């Protein structure tokens, strides 16, 4: 039995549970599946005895490798399974079959993609993540969520099309469909990179994230935050490690969201921008491509899934109890939601990389790798962005939600299952920061020689954090901090919200006018032609005047000619 399970991908129990959820009418049975499926996936992961490729089969002349278990896929698979369990626990109170089904299928697709050993298997699960995750956006069940879901689905299906097209070209060039390191200069290589870049929310390709995540349900945003973008980071680490331009792409990703997050009123959208920022650190580490850089990307992805999920959980609890996550509507919630506020502070400390928190031991690897690569400007950008993280996620989220001005909202604390999920995530944020060896042992490369708690690193990070705290306090105290005001802030979505929308409206008006003009011309032509025909063929027309017998004689002659012709041919 153990030998049988050791060759099966951990994705299958989750996917099967998702299919069962779709047809199962009993609420408690569905919730049991959401807890048991990740546990079964974890058992499959644990029973895999060694690295290797399992679940291989051939079909239509192609070889499919459904379960590649190696040091890189191992850590991503484990954190996806862990996130699935926390998400299932967090969603126990929700009675939504569509959301339960989508969450399990989406999770299973993400796990399946991480363990895919060939491009065709990767493509199948890549597209399945897009098709299933969109239902978590549509679960918001309002016009805004439906529109955002359509845009989300379109961009992710495009990513899959680019991946398939690039894979076909690349396989024809290389003679193999195996998913390993990709030569970006080979035919199809750039298309594959672009497909990964869309899901990783590269600059100018990122706005689907801020558009969709804040419009999903409280549970949906937590689930969405875990898989899609981190799957793309895994794919980049597998396919494009050491591609130097990624260092600059990652540096830009860490910096630009800071400015949007500062002025954003919707706190879940702030977290979406913060997600962009954190992905940038991972992309930069992949661009360095050394053992330290890849370890940094893997470690950062692992802890990020946990602490970003925790922050989305806290905002989901706030949304559930108050109906809003707008900073202008909140404040003073620590009085009625003290445990949620505490867990939010722990998540904020972890994402800000305070010592003894998980973010500290993970982010240090990436920044050290970039520094060792000699990339001075990207290194300085990453340091600046680290301070920005504290401002927009470490301070702004808990401050405006739970403290700041008192909005006089007196609500119930989050449900027990939500608190338990948040408590476990908060525990991991601290545990992995203190017992960092447990995290480092999971990384693809050995970390025996690295010590994150060196004096210079602790002092440097504390100086950075204290400076950011001082700057925030100073700006708030002297009313220089940007005011939180209701509204929609645009970045690259300007192209479809403003320019694109205006272009479509203008095009429709021009088309309407053109059709009106054509209709007018057509009417005039019809009228003139009718007048001409009437003047020629009417009884009083010119044709009738030339033939004295009139129009009747004309038709008689025509009919007689037809009869004679038929008789002759017969």
């Amino acid at each position: 039995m153990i030998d049988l399970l050791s060759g099966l991908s951990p994705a299958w129990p989750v996917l099967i549970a998702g299919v069962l959820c779709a047809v199962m009418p009993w609420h408690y049975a569905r919730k049991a599946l959401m807890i048991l499926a990740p546990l079964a996936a974890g058992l499959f992961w644990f029973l895999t005895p060694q690295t290797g490729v399992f679940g291989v089969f051939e079909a239509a002349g192609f070889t499919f490798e459904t379960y590649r278990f190696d040091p890189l896929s191992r850590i991503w698979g484990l954190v996806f399974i862990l996130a699935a369990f926390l998400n299932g626990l967090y969603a126990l109170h929700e009675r939504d079959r569509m959301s339960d089904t989508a969450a399990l299928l989406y999770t299973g697709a993400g796990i399946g993609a991480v363990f895919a050993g060939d491009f065709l298997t990767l493509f199948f699960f890549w597209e399945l993540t897009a098709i299933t995750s969109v239902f978590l956006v549509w679960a918001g069940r309002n016009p805004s969520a439906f529109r955002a879901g359509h845009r989300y689905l379109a961009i992710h299906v495009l990513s899959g099309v680019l991946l398939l097209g690039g894979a076909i070209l690349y396989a024809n060039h290389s003679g193999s469909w195996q998913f390993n390191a990709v030569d970006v200069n080979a035919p199809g290589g750039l298309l594959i990179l672009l497909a990964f870049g869309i899901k990783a929310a590269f600059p100018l390709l990122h706005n689907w994230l801020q558009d969709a995540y804040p419009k999903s349900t409280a549970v949906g945003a937590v689930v969405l935050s875990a898989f899609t973008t981190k799957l793309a980071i895994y794919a980049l680490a597998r396919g494009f490690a050491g591609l130097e331009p990624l260092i600059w792409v990652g540096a830009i990703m860490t910096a630009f969201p800071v400015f949007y997050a500062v002025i954003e009123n919707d706190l879940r959208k702030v977290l979406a921008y913060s997600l962009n920022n954190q992905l940038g650190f991972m992309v930069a580490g992949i661009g360095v491509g050394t053992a330290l850089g890849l370890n940094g990307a893997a470690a950062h992805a692992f802890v990020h899934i946990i602490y970003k999920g925790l922050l989305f959980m806290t905002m989901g609890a706030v949304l559930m109890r108050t109906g809003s996550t707008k900073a202008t509507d909140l404040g003073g919630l620590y009085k009625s939601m003290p445990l949620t506020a505490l867990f939010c502070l722990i998540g904020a400390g972890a994402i800000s990389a305070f010592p003894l928190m998980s973010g500290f031991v993970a982010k240090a690897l990436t920044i050290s790798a970039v520094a060792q690569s000699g990339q001075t400007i990207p290194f300085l950008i990453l340091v600046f962005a680290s301070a920005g993280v504290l401002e927009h996620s470490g301070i702004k989220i808990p401050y405006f939600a739970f403290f700041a001005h008192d909005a006089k909202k007196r609500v119930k604390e989050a449900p027990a299952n939500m608190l338990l999920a948040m408590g476990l995530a908060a525990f991991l944020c601290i545990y992995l920061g203190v017992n960092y060896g447990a995290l480092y042992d999971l990384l693809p490369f050995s970390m025996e020689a690295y010590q994150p708690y060196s004096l210079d690193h602790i002092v440097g990070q504390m100086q950075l954090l204290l400076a950011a705290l001082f700057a925030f306090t100073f700006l708030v105290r002297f009313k220089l901090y940007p005011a939180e005001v209701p509204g929609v802030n645009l970045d690259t979505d300007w192209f479809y919200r403003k320019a694109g929308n205006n272009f479509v409206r203008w095009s429709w008006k021009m088309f309407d006018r053109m059709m009106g003009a054509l209709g007018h011309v057509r009417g005039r032509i019809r009228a003139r032609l009718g007048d001409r025909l009437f003047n020629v063929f009417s009884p009083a027309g010119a044709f009738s005047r030339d033939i004295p017998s009139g129009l009747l004689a004309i038709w008689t002659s025509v009919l007689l000619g037809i009869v004679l012709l038929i008789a002759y041919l017969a």
Side-chain angles (χ1 to χ4, degrees), residues 456-514:
D456 59 337
H457 182 214
I458 294 174
V459 171
Q461 183 67 8
M462 288 307 300
Q463 287 177 333
L464 192 67
L465 294 173
L466 290 173
L469 283 168
F470 173 78
F472 180 84
T473 304
F474 177 85
L475 292 173
V476 170
R477 176 66 179 81
F478 292 98
K479 302 186 185 307
L480 299 174
Y481 192 85
E484 305 299 314
V485 294
V488 177
N489 298 316
L490 302 180
D491 57 64
T492 57
D493 54 345
W494 178 87
F495 289 101
Y496 62 82
R497 288 184 183 271
K498 290 293 185 181
N501 183 54
N502 291 339
F503 176 76
V504 169
R505 289 177 179 274
W506 176 83
S507 299
W508 179 254
K509 288 182 179 179
M510 292 300 102
F511 178 77
D512 188 55
R513 290 183 180 182
M514 182 181 69

Side-chain angles (χ1 to χ4, degrees), residues 348-364:
I351 196 173
S352 303
F354 273 90
L356 304 181
M357 296 282 190
S358 58
F360 180 85
V361 301
K363 190 180 294 182

Side-chain angles (χ1 to χ4, degrees), residues 302-366:
F302 193 100
V303 301
H304 176 263
I305 287 174
I306 297 171
Y307 61 60
K308 182 53 63 70
L310 172 58
L311 289 170
F312 268 109
M313 286 179 188
T314 61
M315 290 302 101
V318 169
L319 176 65
M320 178 185 177
R321 290 310 193 199
T322 68
S324 174
T325 55
K326 304 291 178 62
T328 48
D329 298 335
L330 302 176
L333 285 177
Y334 76 94
K335 298 177 181 178
S336 50
M337 302 180 74
L339 291 176
T340 303
L342 173 63
F343 295 142
C344 184
L345 288 171
I346 293 174
I351 196 173
S352 303
F354 273 90
L356 304 181
M357 296 282 190
S358 58
F360 180 85
V361 301
K363 190 180 294 182
L365 305 181
T366 302

Side-chain angles (χ1 to χ4, degrees), residues 181-184 189-190 192-198 200-203 205 232-255 276-290 293-294 297 366 370 373 375 377-379 381-382:
V182 177
D183 181 2
V184 72
L190 192 58
I192 296 173
L193 177 62
L194 184 58
F196 294 169
I198 288 174
F202 277 8
L205 303 173
I233 295 299
Y234 164 80
L236 287 169
R238 173 74 68 183
F240 296 97
L243 184 62
E244 191 169 315
L246 290 180
I247 301 175
W248 286 92
V249 171
I252 294 169
M253 288 176 70
T254 64
N276 271 124
N277 163 276
Q278 296 291 289
L279 293 170
F281 287 94
M282 305 173 209
V283 172
I286 293 168
V288 173
T290 61
L294 292 175
T366 302
V370 174
S373 70
Q375 298 280 354
I377 295 178
F379 168 74
I381 294 174
L382 262 58

Side-chain angles (χ1 to χ4, degrees), residues 28-168:
Y28 292 108
R30 294 198 305 270
K31 293 307 179 183
L33 284 176
M34 294 192 72
I35 298 297
L36 295 176
L39 293 177
L43 180 63
F44 282 32
W45 181 93
F46 181 77
L47 291 177
T48 305
Q50 58 186 2
T51 60
V53 179
F54 311 94
V56 180
F57 68 93
E58 292 187 3
F62 297 99
T63 300
F64 295 86
E65 300 177 358
T66 60
Y67 187 20
R68 175 173 54 188
F69 192 77
D70 64 12
L72 192 62
S73 63
R74 179 184 62 176
I75 183 171
W76 256 275
L78 178 60
V79 74
F80 276 14
I81 293 168
L82 179 60
F85 177 78
L86 292 175
N87 293 342
L89 190 59
Y90 184 79
L92 282 179
H93 67 282
E94 189 179 56
R95 293 176 175 269
D96 189 331
R97 184 191 302 185
M98 183 179 77
S99 182
D100 293 344
T101 302
L104 283 171
L105 292 175
Y106 173 44
T107 301
I111 297 172
V114 161
F115 289 122
D118 64 275
F119 278 115
L120 288 176
T121 303
L122 176 67
F123 167 74
F124 171 78
F125 287 117
W126 194 268
E127 286 291 67
L128 188 58
T129 60
I131 295 169
T132 53
S133 61
V134 71
F135 288 96
L136 296 172
V137 182
W138 285 336
R141 291 180 173 84
N142 58 68
S144 179
F146 285 124
R147 289 193 297 269
H150 285 112
R151 293 190 291 266
Y152 174 93
L153 183 61
I155 191 68
H156 284 280
V157 168
L158 172 63
S159 172
V161 171
L162 291 173
L163 174 59
L164 181 60
I168 292 172

